[in-house]
Amino acid sequence: MHRTHNCGELRIQHVGTKVTLAGWVQRVRNKGGLIWVDLRDRYGLTQLIFEEGSTPKELLEKAASLGREFVIKSTGTVIERTSKNDKIPTGDIEVKVEVLEVLNPAKIPPFLIEDETDGGDDLRMKYRYLDLRRNVVRQKLQLRHRMMQETRKYMDGQDFIEVETPVLIKSTPEGARDFVVPSRVNPGEFYALPQSPQTFKQLLMVSGFDRYFQIVKCFRDEDLRADRQPEFTQIDCEMSFVNQEDVLSMFEGLTRHLFKQVKGIELEEVGRMTYADAMRLYGNDKPDLRFDMQFVELNNLVKGKGFGIFDQAELVVGICAKGAGSYTRKQLDELTDWVKRPQIGAKGLVYVKFNEDGSLKSTVDKFYSQDDLGQWAEAFQAEPGDLMLVLSGDAKTVRKQLSELRLKMGEDLGLRDRSVFKPLWVVDFPLLEWDEETNRYHAMHHPFTSPKAEDIPLLDTDPGAVRANAYDLVINGVEIGGGSIRIHDRTTQQLMFKHLGFTEEEAQKQFGFLMEAFEYGAPPHGGIAFGFDRLCAIFGGSDSIRDYIAFPKNNSGRDVMIDSPSPISNDQLEELSIKLDVKAD
Amino acid sequence: MHRTHNCGELRIQHVGTKVTLAGWVQRVRNKGGLIWVDLRDRYGLTQLIFEEGSTPKELLEKAASLGREFVIKSTGTVIERTSKNDKIPTGDIEVKVEVLEVLNPAKIPPFLIEDETDGGDDLRMKYRYLDLRRNVVRQKLQLRHRMMQETRKYMDGQDFIEVETPVLIKSTPEGARDFVVPSRVNPGEFYALPQSPQTFKQLLMVSGFDRYFQIVKCFRDEDLRADRQPEFTQIDCEMSFVNQEDVLSMFEGLTRHLFKQVKGIELEEVGRMTYADAMRLYGNDKPDLRFDMQFVELNNLVKGKGFGIFDQAELVVGICAKGAGSYTRKQLDELTDWVKRPQIGAKGLVYVKFNEDGSLKSTVDKFYSQDDLGQWAEAFQAEPGDLMLVLSGDAKTVRKQLSELRLKMGEDLGLRDRSVFKPLWVVDFPLLEWDEETNRYHAMHHPFTSPKAEDIPLLDTDPGAVRANAYDLVINGVEIGGGSIRIHDRTTQQLMFKHLGFTEEEAQKQFGFLMEAFEYGAPPHGGIAFGFDRLCAIFGGSDSIRDYIAFPKNNSGRDVMIDSPSPISNDQLEELSIKLDVKAD
């Protein structure tokens, strides 16, 4: 037997017990004839002690020779510590060692295995198995584990059936780029890896499964950005005989269950906001509601006063930053530079300081009187000590810019506390969005999302105005997941494909099986998918999903630890009936 | 709202309640001015009733026009049935309908949606979503769901952490053929889909995760046989600081938990049998212990009596089929034909009937006296009424043949009851097996399996005799899973690769990351993987895994429902830097 206890469980009541522990050497201290070894495993840290005089010399030497990260097994007696450590649960005791065995020595690790490490990103990716040894990293994956178990417990409790949908499926032109898998048995043909189990979960509804869920890997061969992974995990769900409100309340329930069980937080009720309102009030379909700072539109106050920039702008809109009236000239200049950065792209920033003495000081005093500015302040519901920040331009662009500025102000003013969670359902998304590149409408959500019944007539006259039965869950400005009530009849589905620019033949070839399924008795149904990696990151208070994935890939889609992707043999290529066709750069 | 109740929950106490139900029309009966509609959903069946006179004419006509599998929604009042149906839980009541809405009509299904269907395999695969609508099929997936939940509950309760390992990994030459995925970002390079998360779970042990599990999709591009799928699911587990007995007892615990929770069966304790004994006594490393019929070796009784076939055979071995002494001549001839079929390949069958009068009648009476046969009978512990069946030949072949015969006799004599479960651990597998084709040793389990310490010296002198710390769980003659205690030091791992015919360079290139990991403090570890599809099939009392997979592929690896694999576009090929290279047949 390798151990009687783990390194986290011995307490004062174990004093006198003979125990065997196994684990990793965290630290060896050698002082005044005493040697202490901190022994670590997943469960905790236990101090081993060796004492000149009472410990045999050979054993003392062996202890002194231990290096960091050696794997050892040691037997001894639990004794009470003379100086206790109340920072760790085992701090009242130590183990007086009688037998010590080195199970495996260790080379000096390339970086410190401590909460604060000296290893850079690249090195920690290459030795991910050592990075995972750090408590702070392992705890993130333990959080993920807990989230998975609690998700399944809730879904099972609500009569959802977990069904594994296939990974080797069929490539479709809609959506992001597919990863494909050449078929050996069917030369010249390919499987694709799923971007989501969308069609399968809808077929399960046609099958009468009624409630389906799965925590499932999905794949997108997109150009990678920071915090995007080629493979990612979804909580994927679908329900039959439901309307939108049924789905929202079910998954509000899941969200509240997770917060309660995993973080001990009673989440507030999740409000609803239309997409239109979210864009108007926050310039963003995923507003961070941890702070207010709503947009105030100023067109009817600012026009016609001789300030050309505002006069020519489609939209003049601003925010009021409470208490930021104390910003210095330098801070305000920096803010102006910030909005002018190419990433934001504003031409300039107009601000109005509401001084403590009641006076108003703006960058456009030349055009606007104290009275004018007073009207602005009223619109902003500003008070002395506040700072009003105003941008202008075409409506879509300026909303986006002001949204960024709002988030920055929230950050700078300490309003985006990671221990506070503000959830929101954004509803009534547009069904379609115009794509400049391909010069046609794309499905904003996906082609299976149903339009609002009352908006269907608009499909022919004003497609961009058609609203969908689609919804997103947003927490703290992060999109956690989204879904929709689906189309469940062939006629509407065909109409939808037509509006997306599919020929009848294309639609039939790609999605004929689904449309045919709709003819054999498809129930009304809808569902949702949560981005599980992101949900874990939000719960862990982190912006990056990468730490919540055991073996992530880097920004080139490469696993630097195992060195993948990599070339394969000519035999393999030949068996798969493919050849390389690599262009010289 | 689409429904107030589901189709399985109304009882006599609901009489008088106004309800709305939704579901599929199972059957419409129209008799004597009454129309009954059986409404079905996942939860059950409820009878709707329409009555001439009290039901408005329009509604009656609507009801009469309903077809099989129409999706409807109907509101009415629960009434007590005049003639109750005690075969279904809702059989005491019916719903007198007041409002009926067709949510979606249905074409006539291509086969009957009943427990007994008229649809052939191919048709049911193409319309899998309709096949899944049948109760008997859906219940199999519900069993699978329950098995998944209970597996996770047990593992979580035992402090195992569920970790998702990557799907896009690296192709390795060891084991079965990999499915590969061309990388667009890294032209000329490929990911591979995992045959198992083996190296990742070992790295998690190096990371100190201590106990890992995952229910995970794995992939093998093998030539398909009946009941083999290119993608399949494993319960994958690994533990640190354990010996073989720790692993066996943990996963015996899982198995017993599943039988208890899912089937209400208290499984008997799982015995252990060495591989050598299993081969000697059952000719098979996965013996079906639902019946006895152990092999009896007869060499020392049968040689030198002038029967050349036995004299020349390496092994003469038989079984005693209790009570089969009543087999007719015709049955015995059929049995002889059966063992001579090419699939079995025996040259002939010697049998001895132990007649009720105590006399012995054999096919080799010419060579063996009643006394001789009496000695055989004693060796077989045979009694009047029994039938002894004897095969001969080279040991390996004849054991295999007799194993098949034993299973057939067990089947024919009704000894393989699907409601009886006999589990067994087979232990002490050989480390290596000789492969005639490649003329070298292969790892019987995989290259990471540790040899028994005491057998390591044999590696150089008699590699085939080296036993591994490897084990399989067998239930009813089916291999449910297997595992091993792993190598956890670089030296032994290198030695192993050497014996498998790897050059040092190849070993380093393919598995360098793992061997390097072993140098940074790898704990002793071991694990197991259960074939989850097969485990579900066993629990469901079925031989075929296909029914336990929601969307299986056919024997050509094709999903005939979505028609995959399929050609991809030239643009896709170009982006992936590959070309087709399909040879004309």
Side-chain angles (χ1 to χ4, degrees):
Chain A
M1 201 192 321
H2 285 293
R3 60 186 174 195
T4 56
H5 296 76
N6 66 46
C7 295
E9 67 180 311
L10 294 175
R11 298 286 183 278
I12 194 78
Q13 64 265 30
H14 292 98
V15 165
T17 314
K18 183 102 144 200
V19 299
T20 299
L21 300 182
W24 286 260
V25 172
Q26 179 76 23
R27 204 174 284 109
V28 182
R29 279 163 303 146
N30 196 327
K31 196 177 169 188
L34 287 168
I35 298 176
W36 295 273
V37 173
D38 284 347
L39 190 66
R40 187 198 70 227
D41 66 12
R42 181 185 124 194
Y43 311 95
L45 206 71
T46 300
Q47 183 166 290
L48 310 179
I49 184 163
F50 305 77
E51 195 172 359
E52 215 168 271
S54 63
T55 302
K57 193 152 169 281
E58 206 183 347
L59 187 51
L60 267 177
E61 278 166 13
K62 203 172 192 177
S65 74
L66 293 174
R68 275 181 179 254
E69 303 304 318
F70 274 43
V71 181
I72 63 170
K73 170 176 166 181
S74 98
T75 301
T77 305
V78 182
I79 58 173
E80 188 170 356
R81 281 206 209 181
T82 44
S83 79
K84 300 199 168 53
N85 177 355
D86 59 10
K87 290 198 189 108
I88 58 171
T90 63
D92 287 348
I93 58 90
E94 56 197 352
V95 175
K96 180 84 194 303
V97 176
E98 290 140 37
V99 185
L100 173 65
E101 186 186 343
V102 174
L103 296 174
N104 219 346
K107 295 203 291 194
I108 294 166
F111 51 83
L112 275 178
I113 314 283
E114 304 271 8
D115 289 358
E116 293 292 326
T117 182
D118 56 351
D121 267 6
D122 291 349
L123 201 61
R124 287 187 292 114
M125 288 282 272
K126 179 165 158 62
Y127 295 97
R128 179 66 175 168
Y129 52 87
L130 295 179
D131 201 27
L132 287 173
R133 223 180 251 177
R134 295 165 58 221
N135 284 325
V136 287
V137 181
R138 199 193 55 245
Q139 279 157 6
K140 292 189 167 101
L141 292 172
Q142 283 178 292
L143 171 75
R144 186 180 176 111
H145 163 78
R146 186 53 35 224
M147 304 265 299
M148 291 178 89
Q149 310 314 311
E150 290 300 334
T151 297
R152 294 209 186 81
K153 202 180 290 175
Y154 177 85
M155 301 309 288
D156 186 35
Q158 297 288 341
D159 272 341
F160 283 75
I161 303 180
E162 188 172 1
V163 180
E164 293 153 86
T165 52
V167 176
L168 296 172
I169 66 162
K170 183 177 176 167
S171 190
T172 62
E174 204 46 26
R177 217 181 271 110
D178 285 323
F179 282 107
V180 299
V181 180
S183 165
R184 180 178 55 84
V185 183
N186 306 276
E189 299 192 326
F190 293 77
Y191 301 100
L193 304 183
Q195 295 180 31
S196 93
Q198 184 62 34
T199 49
F200 290 98
K201 70 176 173 175
Q202 292 194 240
L203 290 174
L204 286 172
M205 295 304 103
V206 177
S207 298
F209 272 61
D210 205 72
R211 296 181 167 194
Y212 142 90
F213 88 102
Q214 190 182 188
I215 300 183
V216 61
K217 276 280 177 80
C218 300
F219 306 85
R220 280 180 205 174
D221 186 10
E222 287 177 350
D223 290 318
L224 295 166
R225 300 190 300 236
D227 229 38
R228 230 196 224 171
Q229 289 279 321
E231 53 180 296
F232 56 96
T233 303
Q234 265 182 207
I235 305 175
D236 192 55
C237 308
E238 199 78 4
M239 306 169 75
S240 288
F241 300 114
V242 288
N243 55 36
Q244 177 167 310
E245 206 45 50
D246 296 324
V247 181
L248 300 195
S249 96
M250 179 63 73
F251 292 95
E252 176 167 339
L254 169 62
T255 310
R256 295 167 65 84
H257 173 86
L258 290 175
F259 271 100
K260 185 75 196 292
Q261 297 303 320
V262 178
K263 295 192 74 75
I265 290 175
E266 284 286 357
L267 196 68
E268 64 187 52
E269 267 192 43
V270 184
R272 282 112 171 93
M273 186 184 292
T274 64
Y275 172 86
D277 280 348
M279 295 309 286
R280 189 171 54 81
L281 295 172
Y282 301 95
N284 196 318
D285 62 2
K286 38 180 195 282
D288 185 345
L289 296 192
R290 281 174 297 182
F291 62 106
D292 214 10
M293 224 186 273
Q294 287 185 354
F295 288 10
V296 173
E297 303 191 352
L298 300 172
N299 279 16
N300 52 3
L301 294 181
V302 302
K303 298 259 183 183
K305 304 278 181 168
F307 183 41
I309 292 175
F310 280 5
D311 284 347
Q312 286 145 35
E314 183 186 357
L315 179 65
V316 181
V317 59
I319 51 176
C320 175
K322 290 275 158 208
S326 57
Y327 266 37
T328 61
R329 179 62 194 260
K330 186 159 168 270
Q331 283 177 299
L332 290 164
D333 285 349
E334 280 169 5
L335 216 51
T336 306
D337 289 345
W338 190 88
V339 299
K340 286 164 134 179
R341 295 183 319 154
Q343 298 96 313
I344 309 297
K347 295 258 164 51
L349 174 67
V350 168
Y351 58 81
V352 187
K353 272 173 107 160
F354 203 145
N355 295 320
E356 294 293 350
D357 66 2
S359 66
L360 294 151
K361 175 71 196 139
S362 84
T363 48
V364 286
D365 285 354
K366 221 195 295 184
F367 304 100
Y368 299 95
S369 66
Q370 285 287 307
D371 252 18
D372 291 336
L373 297 178
Q375 287 183 353
W376 296 21
E378 208 174 306
F380 279 115
Q381 299 185 291
E383 295 168 327
D386 291 352
L387 175 68
M388 292 159 265
L389 299 164
V390 181
L391 294 176
S392 61
D394 84 276
K396 197 174 161 190
T397 309
V398 74
R399 284 200 176 105
K400 206 168 162 188
Q401 293 165 345
L402 190 62
S403 167
E404 295 292 332
L405 180 59
R406 176 180 174 272
L407 291 173
K408 180 184 167 51
M409 291 307 296
E411 194 69 54
D412 290 355
L413 296 172
L415 303 172
R416 302 180 72 189
D417 183 342
R418 273 152 198 254
S419 65
V420 170
F421 297 93
K422 293 286 178 183
L424 174 72
W425 286 111
V426 178
V427 299
D428 296 357
F429 275 82
L431 183 70
L432 304 167
E433 58 184 349
W434 184 256
D435 185 55
E436 297 289 347
E437 209 175 308
T438 55
N439 215 30
R440 66 172 179 93
Y441 279 105
H442 277 259
M444 191 151 183
H445 193 59
H446 56 50
F448 314 108
T449 296
S450 65
K452 289 207 178 286
E454 62 269 34
D455 288 359
I456 291 184
L458 291 174
L459 266 174
D460 286 316
T461 55
D462 186 5
V466 176
R467 290 166 307 156
N469 293 309
Y471 33 82
D472 275 359
L473 178 65
V474 174
I475 300 178
N476 293 0
V478 175
E479 183 202 325
I480 295 301
S484 62
I485 300 299
R486 326 298 184 187
I487 296 166
H488 67 280
D489 66 287
R490 182 171 192 130
T491 313
T492 312
Q493 190 64 68
Q494 271 176 325
L495 185 68
M496 185 68 187
F497 281 128
K498 195 189 98 188
H499 281 284
L500 292 173
F502 282 64
T503 66
E504 240 176 82
E505 198 195 344
E506 284 167 349
Q508 181 57 33
K509 196 172 156 204
Q510 296 298 335
F511 297 109
F513 64 95
L514 185 66
M515 290 192 288
E516 190 174 8
F518 287 168
E519 295 183 295
Y520 285 106
H525 61 285
I528 201 164
F530 279 7
F532 187 62
D533 309 297
R534 181 135 291 130
L535 187 63
C536 292
I538 279 273
F539 268 66
S542 169
D543 288 330
S544 165
I545 63 169
R546 197 184 274 178
D547 276 353
Y548 293 83
I549 295 171
F551 299 100
K553 295 187 173 55
N554 74 8
N555 286 347
S556 316
R558 183 165 281 285
D559 183 329
V560 294
M561 181 184 72
I562 63 170
D563 191 24
S564 162
S566 59
I568 59 173
S569 72
N570 288 331
D571 287 353
Q572 275 177 293
L573 290 170
E574 193 171 341
E575 273 196 320
L576 296 171
S577 303
I578 56 173
K579 279 199 285 211
L580 295 189
D581 182 29
V582 180
K583 309 270 189 305
D585 240 346
Chain B
M1 200 192 325
H2 285 295
R3 60 186 174 195
T4 56
H5 296 75
N6 66 47
C7 296
E9 67 180 311
L10 294 174
R11 298 287 183 277
I12 194 78
Q13 63 265 32
H14 292 99
V15 165
T17 313
K18 186 108 154 197
V19 297
T20 300
L21 300 181
W24 285 261
V25 172
Q26 179 76 24
R27 204 174 285 110
V28 181
R29 281 163 301 146
N30 196 327
K31 195 177 168 187
L34 287 168
I35 298 175
W36 295 274
V37 174
D38 283 347
L39 191 65
R40 186 198 70 226
D41 66 12
R42 180 185 125 194
Y43 311 95
L45 206 72
T46 300
Q47 182 165 293
L48 310 179
I49 183 163
F50 306 77
E51 196 172 358
E52 216 168 274
S54 62
T55 302
K57 193 152 172 276
E58 206 182 347
L59 188 52
L60 268 176
E61 278 167 14
K62 205 172 191 178
S65 74
L66 292 176
R68 273 181 181 256
E69 303 304 317
F70 274 42
V71 181
I72 63 170
K73 170 177 166 179
S74 96
T75 301
T77 305
V78 182
I79 59 174
E80 187 170 356
R81 282 206 209 181
T82 44
S83 78
K84 300 198 169 53
N85 177 353
D86 59 9
K87 288 196 190 109
I88 58 172
T90 63
D92 288 348
I93 59 91
E94 57 197 350
V95 175
K96 180 84 193 303
V97 176
E98 290 141 36
V99 185
L100 173 63
E101 185 186 345
V102 174
L103 296 175
N104 219 346
K107 295 202 292 195
I108 294 165
F111 50 84
L112 276 178
I113 313 285
E114 305 269 7
D115 290 358
E116 293 292 327
T117 183
D118 55 352
D121 267 5
D122 291 349
L123 202 59
R124 287 188 293 114
M125 287 283 271
K126 179 164 158 59
Y127 295 95
R128 178 67 174 166
Y129 53 87
L130 295 178
D131 201 27
L132 287 173
R133 223 179 251 178
R134 295 166 57 223
N135 285 325
V136 286
V137 181
R138 199 193 54 246
Q139 278 156 6
K140 292 189 167 103
L141 292 172
Q142 283 179 292
L143 171 76
R144 185 179 176 111
H145 163 78
R146 186 56 33 226
M147 305 266 298
M148 291 180 89
Q149 310 315 311
E150 290 299 336
T151 298
R152 294 210 186 81
K153 203 179 291 176
Y154 177 84
M155 301 308 289
D156 186 36
Q158 297 288 340
D159 272 341
F160 283 75
I161 304 181
E162 189 172 0
V163 179
E164 293 153 86
T165 52
V167 176
L168 297 171
I169 65 163
K170 183 177 176 167
S171 189
T172 62
E174 204 47 25
R177 216 183 271 110
D178 285 322
F179 282 106
V180 298
V181 180
S183 166
R184 180 179 55 85
V185 182
N186 306 276
E189 300 192 326
F190 293 77
Y191 301 100
L193 304 183
Q195 295 181 31
S196 92
Q198 185 61 32
T199 48
F200 290 98
K201 69 177 172 174
Q202 292 193 240
L203 290 174
L204 286 172
M205 295 304 104
V206 177
S207 297
F209 271 62
D210 206 73
R211 295 182 167 194
Y212 142 91
F213 87 103
Q214 190 182 190
I215 301 182
V216 62
K217 277 280 177 77
C218 299
F219 306 85
R220 280 180 205 174
D221 186 11
E222 287 177 348
D223 290 319
L224 295 167
R225 301 190 300 235
D227 229 38
R228 229 197 227 172
Q229 289 279 320
E231 54 180 297
F232 55 97
T233 303
Q234 262 182 210
I235 305 175
D236 192 55
C237 308
E238 198 78 4
M239 305 169 75
S240 289
F241 301 113
V242 289
N243 56 35
Q244 176 166 311
E245 207 45 51
D246 297 324
V247 180
L248 300 194
S249 97
M250 179 64 72
F251 292 94
E252 176 167 340
L254 169 62
T255 310
R256 294 167 65 84
H257 173 86
L258 290 175
F259 271 101
K260 184 76 197 292
Q261 297 303 320
V262 178
K263 295 193 74 78
I265 290 175
E266 284 286 357
L267 196 68
E268 63 187 53
E269 266 189 46
V270 185
R272 282 112 172 91
M273 186 182 293
T274 64
Y275 171 87
D277 279 349
M279 296 309 286
R280 188 171 55 81
L281 296 172
Y282 301 96
N284 196 318
D285 61 2
K286 37 180 197 280
D288 185 346
L289 296 192
R290 279 174 299 182
F291 61 107
D292 214 10
M293 223 185 276
Q294 287 185 353
F295 288 12
V296 174
E297 302 191 354
L298 301 172
N299 278 16
N300 53 3
L301 294 181
V302 302
K303 300 261 183 180
K305 304 280 181 167
F307 184 41
I309 290 174
F310 280 3
D311 284 346
Q312 285 145 36
E314 182 186 359
L315 180 65
V316 180
V317 60
I319 51 176
C320 174
K322 290 274 159 211
S326 57
Y327 266 37
T328 62
R329 179 63 193 259
K330 183 159 171 273
Q331 284 176 301
L332 290 164
D333 285 349
E334 279 168 4
L335 216 49
T336 306
D337 289 344
W338 190 88
V339 299
K340 287 167 136 177
R341 295 183 319 154
Q343 299 94 312
I344 308 297
K347 295 258 164 52
L349 174 68
V350 169
Y351 58 80
V352 187
K353 274 173 106 159
F354 202 145
N355 295 320
E356 294 292 351
D357 65 3
S359 67
L360 293 152
K361 175 71 195 139
S362 84
T363 47
V364 286
D365 284 353
K366 220 193 296 183
F367 305 99
Y368 299 95
S369 67
Q370 284 287 307
D371 252 16
D372 292 336
L373 296 178
Q375 287 181 351
W376 296 20
E378 209 172 307
F380 279 114
Q381 298 185 292
E383 295 169 325
D386 292 351
L387 176 69
M388 293 159 265
L389 300 164
V390 182
L391 295 176
S392 61
D394 84 275
K396 198 175 160 190
T397 309
V398 75
R399 284 201 176 103
K400 206 168 161 189
Q401 293 165 346
L402 190 60
S403 168
E404 295 292 332
L405 180 59
R406 174 180 175 272
L407 291 173
K408 180 183 165 54
M409 291 307 296
E411 194 70 52
D412 290 355
L413 296 171
L415 303 172
R416 302 179 74 188
D417 182 343
R418 275 153 197 253
S419 65
V420 170
F421 297 93
K422 293 286 178 184
L424 174 72
W425 286 112
V426 178
V427 299
D428 295 357
F429 276 82
L431 182 70
L432 303 167
E433 57 185 350
W434 183 255
D435 184 55
E436 296 289 348
E437 207 173 309
T438 55
N439 214 33
R440 66 172 179 93
Y441 279 106
H442 277 260
M444 191 149 182
H445 192 59
H446 55 51
F448 314 107
T449 296
S450 64
K452 288 207 179 287
E454 62 269 33
D455 288 359
I456 291 184
L458 291 173
L459 265 174
D460 286 318
T461 55
D462 186 5
V466 176
R467 291 165 308 155
N469 293 308
Y471 33 81
D472 274 0
L473 178 65
V474 174
I475 300 178
N476 293 2
V478 175
E479 182 201 325
I480 296 301
S484 62
I485 300 297
R486 327 297 184 186
I487 296 166
H488 67 281
D489 65 287
R490 181 171 193 129
T491 312
T492 312
Q493 190 63 68
Q494 271 176 324
L495 184 69
M496 185 68 187
F497 282 128
K498 196 188 97 185
H499 281 284
L500 293 173
F502 282 64
T503 66
E504 239 176 83
E505 198 195 343
E506 284 167 350
Q508 181 59 33
K509 196 173 153 200
Q510 296 297 334
F511 296 109
F513 65 96
L514 185 66
M515 291 192 288
E516 189 174 9
F518 287 169
E519 296 184 292
Y520 286 106
H525 61 285
I528 202 165
F530 280 7
F532 186 61
D533 309 299
R534 181 137 290 130
L535 187 64
C536 292
I538 280 272
F539 268 66
S542 168
D543 287 331
S544 165
I545 62 169
R546 197 183 274 179
D547 276 352
Y548 294 83
I549 295 172
F551 299 100
K553 294 185 175 55
N554 74 8
N555 285 348
S556 316
R558 182 166 282 285
D559 182 329
V560 294
M561 180 184 72
I562 62 170
D563 190 25
S564 163
S566 59
I568 59 173
S569 72
N570 288 331
D571 286 354
Q572 274 177 294
L573 290 170
E574 194 171 339
E575 272 196 319
L576 296 171
S577 304
I578 56 173
K579 277 198 288 212
L580 296 188
D581 182 28
V582 180
K583 311 267 189 303
D585 242 347

